[in-house]
Each structure stands twice: as structure tokens, then as C-alpha cells.
């Protein structure tokens, strides 16, 4: 299966994920990619906005027709593809922050937004949206993000060919998507944990169901839920069920 054989390049769109959905609904094929230079309504996870200023970032979405119903590890496979693509192309090690953040030198440099369409319980298609800050300087981010956001050129300090990087990420996505389809969940979770910002035993302060609690990170379960030991008991969280506030043991 080839990802990126057909690329739809547009200078500007509301969101490459939304454009990919339109293409999916008008007969596009698995592996087609939409990329743009600017998004006017770039979407992040949890209903947030993804700032997508012109020319600076890599904004692209991939259309897939997964043949397995449980999609919970698909964002992990996508994160691993970005990690490997960035390392292969730029020799830069990035970290993966559960559940779908990409981190360089402690700053958020990108994220993944997977969206899927169902008819009842039948999966129609999935879209993997990847946003990477590439050419941004500190001042390019809105004030509230300036201390947490970074870009690949801030960390690698070299000129990056965005399109080439996208193709390399697509090559690795073929590899990790194949592993996903073959149910190689342990391989995906192990690789993810190897690059995780959180390590077993880290003490995390989180907000869950309106309460602020702290717990010890115990890893990820088979569905990629975070396992936290809270007051001596292991509890599992989906990403939508909690927000991590900080790591307390640093
Ligand atoms: C996040 O970290 O919140 C996820 C960000 C995902 C952003 C990408 S940019 C390309 C694609 N199109 C979108 O509207 N969002 C994703």
C-alpha cells in the first residue's frame, strides 16, 4: 500500500482533514494525501484550534480505509511515523507526549488529529491529520503559546525541505500502518513508550472529572489508555477523560 502516490496540494483551505473528508466522500482512494500552506480553521484535539500560519508549517492529512475496527492505536502509529521520519530526514530525536503531541527540546512542535467516519458501526474511512511546526520562530506563535510551542527549525537550526520531510513521514507511515493492520499492538506500544515523554514511575498531576489528582505513571494498556496509580489503585484514562497538568518529579 502506497501512501502519498497522489498528493492534493492546495495553497489554502479551512482544514486539510476536512478537505480529505470531502475527497473520501467523492471516491478518493486509500493513501491519498492533502497538503496545504495555510489553514483558516486548522483543528487540534479536544476542539482546539491549530494555528496554521502561511508557509511556516507542514499541514497534511492522509486518507485510510482501516480493515480493523479498533482504531485506538492509529494515532500512536502516526506519531511513530513522524518520529522516524524526522529522525531519518533531520537526524533529530523527537519525543512523543501521550496521547498525540510531538515534542522537541521540551516544546510542542506538532500534533496528530485522527478522525473517522462511521455508518452505524461500520467504519467508512479514517483521516490522519499531521501538523508540524517547521519554520516558526518564537514570535510566530500567539503570546499564550510562546513558552510551550517550538518548531523543527528552532531545534534543528537548519533549512528544512517540508515536502521532502512529508514524503519520508509517508514512507514510515506505510510501515507503522502495516504493523497496525497486522495487530502488532505490542510492537507499537513498546516503540511509543521508548520515545515517551513520560516514564514508568513519573508522578503526574492530572485533572479528571473535575478533580485534580496526582498519580504514578504505570504505562499504557492494550488500547493505549494511560494507566495511573492513584492512592494505590490503578486507573485507566482515555485522552478525552483527563488533562495532564504537570510532571511533579522533575
Ligand atoms: C493537536 O495537537 O491538537 C493536533 C493538531 C493536528 C493539526 C493537524 S494540521 C493538519 C490537519 N488538519 C487539521 O485541521 N488538523 C490537523
Amino acid at each position: 500500500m502506497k501512501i502519498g502516490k497522489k498528493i492534493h496540494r492546495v495553497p489554502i483551505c479551512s482544514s486539510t482533514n476536512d478537505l480529505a473528508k470531502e475527497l473520501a466522500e467523492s471516491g478518493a482512494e486509500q493513501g491519498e494525501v492533502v497538503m496545504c500552506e495555510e489553514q483558516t480553521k486548522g483543528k487540534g484535539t479536544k476542539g482546539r484550534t491549530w494555528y496554521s500560519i502561511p508557509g511556516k508549517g507542514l499541514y497534511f492529512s492522509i486518507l485510510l480505509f482501516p480493515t480493523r475496527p479498533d482504531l485506538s492505536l492509529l494515532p500512536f502509529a502516526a506519531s511513530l511515523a513522524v518520529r522516524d521520519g524526522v529522525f531519518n530526514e533531520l537526524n533529530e530525536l523527537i519525543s512523543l507526549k501521550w496521547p498525540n503531541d510531538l515534542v522537541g527540546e521540551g516544546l510542542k512542535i506538532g500534533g496528530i488529529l485522527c478522525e473517522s467516519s462511521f455508518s452505524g458501526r461500520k467504519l467508512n474511512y479514517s483521516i490522519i491529520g499531521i501538523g508540524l511546526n517547521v519554520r516558526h520562530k518564537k514570535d510566530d506563535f500567539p503570546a499564550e503559546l510562546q513558552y510551550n510551542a517550538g518548531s523543527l527549525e528552532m531545534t534543528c537550526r537548519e533549512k528544512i525541505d517540508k515536502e521532502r520531510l512529508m514524503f519520508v513521514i509517508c514512507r514510515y507511515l506505510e510501515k507503522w500502518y502495516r504493523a497496525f493492520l497486522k495487530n502488532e499492538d505490542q510492537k507499537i506500544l513498546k516503540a511509543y513508550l521508548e520515545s515517551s515523554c513520560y516514564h514508568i514511575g513519573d508522578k503526574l498531576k492530572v485533572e479528571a472529572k473535575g478533580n485534580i489528582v496526582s498519580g504514578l505513571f504505570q504505562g499504557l494498556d492494550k488500547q493505549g489508555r494511560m494507566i495511573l496509580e492513584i492512592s494505590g489503585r490503578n486507573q485507566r484514562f482515555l485522552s478525552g477523560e483527563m488533562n495532564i497538568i504537570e510532571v511533579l518529579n522533575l
Side-chain angles (χ1 to χ4, degrees), residues 107-249:
L107 300 172
K108 175 156 172 165
I109 57 159
I112 311 278
L113 176 66
C114 290
E115 297 183 283
S116 296
S117 153
F118 290 87
S119 298
R121 295 174 71 177
K122 182 184 159 285
L123 173 67
N124 298 320
Y125 57 84
S126 294
I127 310 281
I128 295 181
I130 299 176
L132 267 175
N133 302 330
V134 179
R135 309 227 161 97
H136 301 63
K137 307 261 179 297
K138 201 169 172 221
D139 291 347
D140 290 321
F141 297 108
E144 70 274 17
L145 296 183
Q146 283 188 8
Y147 291 96
N148 293 321
S151 74
L152 285 169
E153 286 193 356
M154 280 161 72
T155 54
C156 308
R157 290 163 199 93
E158 63 175 85
K159 258 250 123 337
I160 293 168
D161 181 337
K162 287 194 294 171
E163 181 137 345
R164 206 183 129 108
L165 177 61
M166 185 195 72
F167 275 110
V168 179
I169 292 171
C170 288
R171 291 293 73 70
Y172 282 102
L173 187 57
E174 284 165 10
K175 170 187 154 181
W176 285 109
Y177 182 55
R178 210 176 306 122
F180 168 77
L181 291 180
K182 283 163 64 189
N183 298 303
E184 291 176 346
D185 295 5
Q186 281 313 316
K187 179 173 163 182
I188 293 172
L189 289 165
K190 182 169 175 282
Y192 190 89
L193 277 179
E194 277 163 10
S195 294
S196 169
C197 289
Y198 305 123
H199 303 100
I200 307 287
D202 278 352
K203 190 170 183 189
L204 306 185
K205 183 170 160 189
V206 307
E207 184 270 319
K209 294 183 189 141
N211 300 315
I212 309 271
V213 288
S214 63
L216 298 179
F217 179 60
Q218 299 295 328
L220 303 173
D221 75 2
K222 282 190 211 153
Q223 280 116 41
R225 290 180 298 187
M226 181 180 272
I227 308 171
L228 282 184
E229 185 191 312
I230 299 172
S231 309
R233 267 188 55 229
N234 278 353
Q235 293 190 35
R236 287 149 202 260
F237 296 93
L238 288 167
S239 60
E241 294 172 341
M242 61 106 122
N243 290 306
I244 297 165
I245 300 169
E246 62 179 319
V247 182
L248 294 169
N249 52 328

Side-chain angles (χ1 to χ4, degrees), residues 14-18 34 36 39 41-46 48-50 52 58-61 100-102 108 110-115 127-132:
S14 56
S15 151
T16 54
N17 271 28
D18 291 348
V34 181
C36 74
Q39 299 182 117
K41 285 193 184 141
K43 298 184 290 184
T45 51
K46 300 186 179 176
R48 291 190 274 246
T49 299
W50 184 255
S52 315
L58 183 53
Y59 317 116
F60 67 111
S61 301
N100 34 30
D101 285 359
L102 308 163
K108 175 156 172 165
I112 311 278
L113 176 66
C114 290
E115 297 183 283
I127 310 281
I128 295 181
I130 299 176
L132 267 175

